[in-house]
Amino acid sequence: MTTAQPRASLWRLPAVRALAATNLLGFLSYSLLLSALPAHAASLGYGLTAAGSVTTVFLVVTVLVQGTVPALVRRFGLGPVLSAGLLTLGLPAPLYLVADGLPGLLAVSAVRGTGFAVLTVLGSTIAAQAVPPERRGESIGIYGLAVALPTLAAVPGGAALTLAGRFSWVALLAAGTVLALGCVPGLVRAVGTTTEAPAAGGSRAAVRAAAVPCVLLLLVTLAGGGLVTFLPIERPDGSLAAVALLLFGLATAASRWRAGVLVDRLGARVLLPATLGAGAAGLALVALGLHTGGTAEPVLVLVGALGLGVGYGAVQNLTLVLAFARAGEGHAATVSAVWNACFDSGTAIGALAVGVVAASLGLPWTYVVVAVALAAVLPLAVSLPRALRSAG
């Protein structure tokens, strides 16, 4: 394991720099297509449920593969598994341009989902192991910043290009993940060929320990998935959806990064419920804006997207830090797989279930339902950090 002096910048660590670059390039492919692909499917004449299914299939495959990644790394090594994941995520993206209708779009998404599974599990695993435990929150914050930065431009940019009839540009740019292959040797040199030695006690306890904070994660990612998938479809004209997604991405990146620094110093006792509450309030404002329309709509939607982004980013960081702390040392890969499975399950549910409910209730009222669900788990967000502190 690489180490850093307590006051040294984590950016000096080769593993941290290589990890940030790898995830920046890898998540560019994911972010570009997150809103663009459903919008492209809708432009081909498919309804809300079918349009959302292209994201759902991608993420369902991701979740199914994530649990196998630790074993694959132990068998084949970090370098080969990570390289294969980056290739599988990036290379098939241009095939969306020649896909034969919805079945073709779903097939390409399924293949890319396997690569995304590898990237997500190994990214958070290495972030936890590259630094001493007392700097883990900051390391995860830097990792989260690298993951979130593509959201700033790629999610709204991909949606805007697609709505302007230039989806071909999006599909080609999404192949840029292969450039991250140049970072893999640096990661292998800095971290080693495997990510951790098996810990005593097995993985079942680690899974149970990670599951509780992941309930919060699943709900907040469901809300985020519902926003990025359906807001461009609900408001395809004008710039409102693109600007809202830009603000959402900006808030996500900033809060995920800063939450990592703050949690090392202050703990999650106040941060977790405060940021989760901000996310619930933000989504409620988006719903209110879409429902009322008129001159108030842009302000409410944009402020709401900003608030949801704060909750979306911070809760990601805080739940991952809590999951690692609850599981203890030696279970990083297992915790990472569980956490990422919940993250992607939430996004997948948001991309499908929100569309199903919105077909009956309309999107504004569906967002209200999700906001209420976020508010309902605030007691868990209050009690979880307290229980961990008492146990420590």
Side-chain angles (χ1 to χ4, degrees), residues 114-370:
T114 63
F116 192 60
V118 171
L119 179 65
T120 53
V121 172
L122 293 185
S124 50
T125 301
I126 296 169
Q129 293 188 296
V131 300
E134 64 271 15
R135 302 292 298 275
R136 184 172 287 163
E138 185 179 353
S139 176
I140 292 172
I142 292 173
Y143 160 72
L145 181 65
V147 167
L149 276 176
T151 308
L152 297 178
V155 172
L161 286 171
T162 301
L163 295 174
R166 294 182 174 86
F167 177 74
S168 59
W169 294 13
V170 178
L172 293 174
L173 287 171
T177 298
V178 297
L179 298 175
L181 290 171
C183 301
V184 174
L187 278 175
V188 173
R189 286 193 301 268
V191 180
T193 57
T194 60
T195 54
E196 67 179 349
S203 62
R204 290 186 180 180
V207 171
R208 290 194 298 269
V212 178
C214 285
V215 172
L216 303 177
L217 174 72
L218 187 145
L219 285 174
V220 81
T221 52
L222 183 154
L227 182 79
V228 300
T229 301
F230 295 108
L231 186 59
I233 297 174
E234 182 78 3
R235 291 293 185 269
D237 300 321
S239 59
L240 178 60
V243 176
L245 293 179
L246 178 61
L247 288 177
F248 174 77
L250 179 64
T252 296
S255 63
R256 191 168 181 182
W257 173 42
R258 295 308 301 171
V261 177
L262 291 174
V263 74
D264 285 340
R265 300 174 182 172
L266 307 175
R269 189 172 181 176
V270 175
L271 288 174
L272 185 57
T275 53
L276 181 64
L283 189 58
L285 285 176
V286 173
L288 181 61
L290 294 176
H291 178 71
T292 58
T295 57
E297 179 184 13
V299 174
L300 292 172
V301 170
L302 295 179
V303 173
L306 194 64
L308 180 59
V310 169
Y312 186 76
V315 171
Q316 287 176 45
N317 184 300
L318 298 172
T319 53
L320 184 54
V321 171
L322 286 171
F324 282 130
R326 285 169 57 87
E329 298 301 318
H331 296 291
T334 300
V335 170
S336 178
V338 173
W339 185 89
N340 279 286
C342 288
F343 181 99
D344 295 322
S345 295
T347 306
I349 294 169
L352 182 63
V354 169
V356 172
V357 177
S360 300
L361 298 182
L363 192 62
W365 283 109
T366 303
Y367 283 166
V368 170
V369 171
V370 177

Side-chain angles (χ1 to χ4, degrees), residues 5-32:
Q5 297 299 320
R7 296 183 181 274
S9 170
L10 292 185
W11 286 105
R12 295 183 180 180
L13 295 179
V16 171
R17 294 197 302 269
L19 179 67
T22 299
N23 283 280
L24 188 68
L25 289 167
F27 274 78
L28 180 66
S29 178
Y30 167 76
S31 299
L32 277 167

